[in-house]
Amino acid sequence: MRTIMMMLDTLNRRALSAYGGEGVLTPNIDRLAEQSVIFDQHWSGSLPCMPARRDLLTGRAAFLEKGWGGIEPFDRTLPASLREAGIFSHIVTDHYHYFATGGENYCQSFSTWDFHRGQEDDPWVSSIKELPAPERYYGQVRAQCDKNRTRFAREEDYPGPRTIQAACDWLEKNGREDRYFLTVEAFDPHEPFDTPDHYLAMYQDNYEGPPYSWPKYGTVDVPPEALAHIQKRYAATLTMIDHWLGKLLDTMERLDILDDTLVIFTTDHGLLLGEHEQTGKNVMHVYNELANIPLMIRLPEGRAAGTRIKAVTQNIDLMPTILDYMGAAIPDTVQGASLRGLLEGTQEKVREAALYGYHGMCVNVTDGRYSYMRAPVSKDNYPCYAYTAMPTTFRSYLGGVAPERIEAGRFLSYTAYPVFKIPESTQGVTYARNQFVMETRLYDLANDEHQEHPLQDEAAEARMIELLNQAMKQAGAPEEQYVRLGLA
């Protein structure tokens, strides 16, 4: 038995025909969808990139404890659990956040790992001399990204294609072996949307304005023609990586390994490209475009192909599912549930609701019918703490503002390992990151799929508050989170 997990970053399910999308060319993802079980109510947990990956590798939603950061020394990970069962694991990726400060110990937990350089701000191409920046542009332009782009002379030079080709090469050498777990992870279609011109030409893009390949996070601040252009750039980048995924599928078929292989296709989160008058992520409410993510699972021999599952699932369920199919023990720290019963028709649901969000922002819950976004009750977001034994975060360190207020102790119920308790809010000081999300909202997804009309319904809100409390309790939420959200 083998498991191959294919993961794209920032994949909007509404771009895929399997989820009703139109206009984006993804023939190979469509091909996989035809052979797979499709999950309609699959949700992220912790956002964005690295928090989502910690969820995937530990089977726990960690965003109530901390945000962006490394795998903790007390985390019991998927690759480590596989190793204990004698199962080899390998990851091939171009996601450079794994190798920046705040991305420690993810790839290193695999038996082997393979990293392909050049995405976004990866400090790869070394040049003291700066390239000239455009006089006018929309969105973001970053010097290191422009230096990296000088290496992309051919399509094969782009990091996404290099990553998928490396996965094909690994399978050529190892694919027919038994009992391994392979993760194939492409950063595309994450911004900036870099792709050869011939993919952009597929979308009849005639844009002639200032350069725009990397949207800012926040309210749309570009003219309609630029917004249309960035949407086409996203589609073109997705079409490019789909083309290379086709090579990976071809390799699996040619090696004739699919009869005894579990194939998983998913993402970490989506991205806004004009929906809700916003672009990006991180600073706004976690709308469905961000949190309701695609999941396709191809069972060995293509069993149950074409089945659609309506039960609520989320990313923390993938670790126990993989361990279940691979015959490995599931650690008692895992909060997710194996999806095997859903996949094989012996179970109707694994959870009542999915809990998701960013650390220190709204805490969100959905039962598939309603989505509820619970905002902090005060502008200072007090009280809020990060709990970690490794105080790194996105390219920086936690606690530098007020180190004298950091405590250390055994604050987490599921481990005896001591951690730092680091204040992330100060009483009376406005917490700027919450500027877009200071309003609690309820949406009826059955009648308002695109979340355009917040609902006033006391009975529905009361039920969602009950689900929120239950989900937070199951997740082991620190007590101050209930105070922060006005739930205490």
Side-chain angles (χ1 to χ4, degrees):
M1 181 68 186
R2 320 167 188 88
T3 298
I4 298 174
M5 183 169 74
M6 297 181 287
M7 185 170 168
L8 304 185
D9 197 299
T10 315
L11 178 59
N12 286 11
R13 58 179 266 165
R14 292 176 184 174
L16 305 179
S17 62
Y19 289 98
E22 297 179 353
V24 181
L25 304 173
T26 57
N28 294 295
I29 297 174
D30 296 346
R31 165 184 162 196
L32 178 62
E34 292 174 357
Q35 304 172 28
S36 300
V37 177
I38 308 294
F39 288 76
D40 287 320
Q41 288 288 345
H42 189 64
W43 298 81
S44 189
S46 305
L47 289 93
C49 301
M50 297 317 295
R53 283 158 179 78
R54 187 180 178 210
D55 283 12
L56 281 167
L57 290 187
T58 64
R60 297 179 58 85
F63 73 94
L64 295 169
E65 296 172 8
K66 76 169 189 178
W68 190 291
I71 292 290
E72 298 284 351
F74 49 82
D75 281 340
R76 302 178 68 180
T77 67
L78 171 59
S81 298
L82 292 170
R83 184 181 297 111
E84 290 170 4
I87 298 168
F88 191 93
S89 63
H90 179 67
I91 181 172
V92 55
T93 182
D94 61 345
H95 200 293
Y96 78 102
H97 294 153
Y98 284 124
F99 303 97
T101 299
E104 297 86 0
N105 305 327
Y106 287 83
C107 289
Q108 292 81 358
S109 66
F110 286 77
S111 302
T112 53
W113 50 268
D114 184 11
F115 174 40
H116 294 267
R117 305 292 302 272
Q119 287 284 13
E120 201 187 66
D121 286 336
D122 179 15
W124 179 42
V125 174
S126 184
S127 172
I128 296 174
K129 184 178 181 179
E130 298 291 340
L131 297 173
E135 293 183 4
R136 293 183 63 228
Y137 60 87
Y138 293 131
Q140 304 180 62
V141 169
R142 298 186 189 175
Q144 184 61 55
C145 181
D146 285 344
K147 291 176 185 178
N148 292 342
R149 285 168 169 159
T150 63
R151 295 282 187 92
F152 306 160
R154 307 169 303 149
E155 182 175 340
E156 293 82 359
D157 299 330
Y158 284 69
R162 279 191 277 124
T163 297
I164 305 300
Q165 183 59 55
C168 293
D169 295 343
W170 189 90
L171 283 175
E172 292 287 359
K173 183 177 181 180
N174 300 286
R176 290 194 175 97
E177 299 294 332
D178 194 21
R179 291 174 62 77
Y180 64 78
F181 171 61
L182 171 65
T183 295
V184 184
E185 182 184 343
F187 196 65
D188 295 328
H190 192 290
E191 70 279 5
F193 307 130
D194 289 333
T195 185
D197 288 342
H198 64 269
Y199 287 106
L200 196 57
M202 295 180 182
Y203 294 92
Q204 293 77 50
D205 182 63
N206 299 313
Y207 176 71
E208 296 181 351
Y212 188 34
S213 64
W214 196 335
K216 291 181 179 178
Y217 292 177
T219 304
V220 173
D221 61 355
V222 298
E225 61 272 18
L227 185 62
H229 171 66
I230 201 73
Q231 292 167 349
K232 291 178 180 179
R233 290 197 73 93
Y234 175 89
T237 306
L238 178 53
T239 297
M240 176 185 71
I241 204 64
D242 175 87
H243 170 73
W244 287 83
L245 283 175
K247 296 179 180 292
L248 184 63
L249 295 175
D250 290 344
T251 300
M252 290 186 229
E253 290 176 358
R254 184 167 45 76
L255 293 173
D256 194 24
I257 61 174
L258 288 173
D259 281 354
D260 194 28
T261 302
L262 185 73
V263 179
I264 299 171
F265 177 82
T266 191
T267 188
D268 50 358
H269 54 72
L271 189 78
L272 297 178
L273 288 173
E275 303 90 344
H276 311 283
E277 300 182 358
Q278 304 274 323
T279 52
K281 55 182 186 288
N282 296 358
V283 299
M284 66 285 292
H285 275 297
V286 185
Y287 295 106
N288 286 2
E289 290 89 350
L290 298 172
N292 191 192
I293 56 177
L295 174 64
M296 306 174 189
I297 298 181
R298 187 194 189 281
L299 292 171
E301 300 176 334
R303 296 191 299 270
T307 302
R308 300 195 80 99
I309 291 179
K310 306 295 183 183
V312 174
T313 61
Q314 61 181 132
N315 63 355
I316 60 174
D317 298 329
L318 291 182
M319 175 182 176
T321 302
I322 293 166
L323 293 175
D324 191 357
Y325 272 99
M326 298 295 286
I330 299 172
D332 56 11
T333 52
V334 168
Q335 297 169 345
S338 172
L339 303 178
R340 189 168 188 167
L342 294 177
L343 287 162
E344 297 180 2
T346 62
Q347 198 172 359
E348 292 186 357
K349 65 180 180 179
V350 296
R351 63 180 67 255
E352 294 293 333
L355 184 76
Y356 54 97
Y358 296 92
H359 181 68
M361 296 178 68
C362 280
V363 178
N364 311 275
V365 67
T366 183
D367 62 354
R369 166 65 191 273
Y370 295 97
S371 63
Y372 186 56
M373 305 167 173
R374 183 77 179 197
V377 294
S378 60
K379 291 183 179 180
D380 58 14
N381 202 36
Y382 184 84
C384 185
Y385 299 89
Y387 297 87
T388 179
M390 298 184 57
T392 59
T393 187
F394 185 52
R395 302 176 185 167
S396 61
Y397 296 88
L398 293 167
V401 175
E404 70 280 359
R405 296 177 59 222
I406 299 173
E407 300 175 61
R410 292 177 174 84
F411 297 114
L412 300 179
S413 61
Y414 63 94
T415 179
Y417 208 101
V419 296
F420 296 109
K421 181 180 179 182
I422 303 174
E424 294 224 325
S425 63
T426 301
Q427 198 163 11
V429 177
T430 299
Y431 190 71
R433 191 178 177 204
N434 277 334
Q435 60 176 312
F436 288 109
V437 293
M438 289 306 298
E439 179 185 349
T440 293
R441 294 184 182 178
L442 173 70
Y443 291 98
D444 179 355
L445 303 181
N447 298 301
D448 182 20
E449 177 187 357
H450 298 290
Q451 297 171 297
E452 296 173 340
H453 308 288
L455 182 67
Q456 302 296 323
D457 185 324
E458 291 184 4
E461 183 172 14
R463 180 176 178 277
M464 296 309 292
I465 289 173
E466 180 181 357
L467 286 177
L468 178 61
N469 273 301
Q470 291 173 1
M472 288 176 62
K473 182 178 180 180
Q474 182 180 356
E479 289 301 316
E480 70 272 6
Q481 288 284 351
Y482 298 92
V483 178
R484 187 179 74 91
L485 300 171
L487 298 172

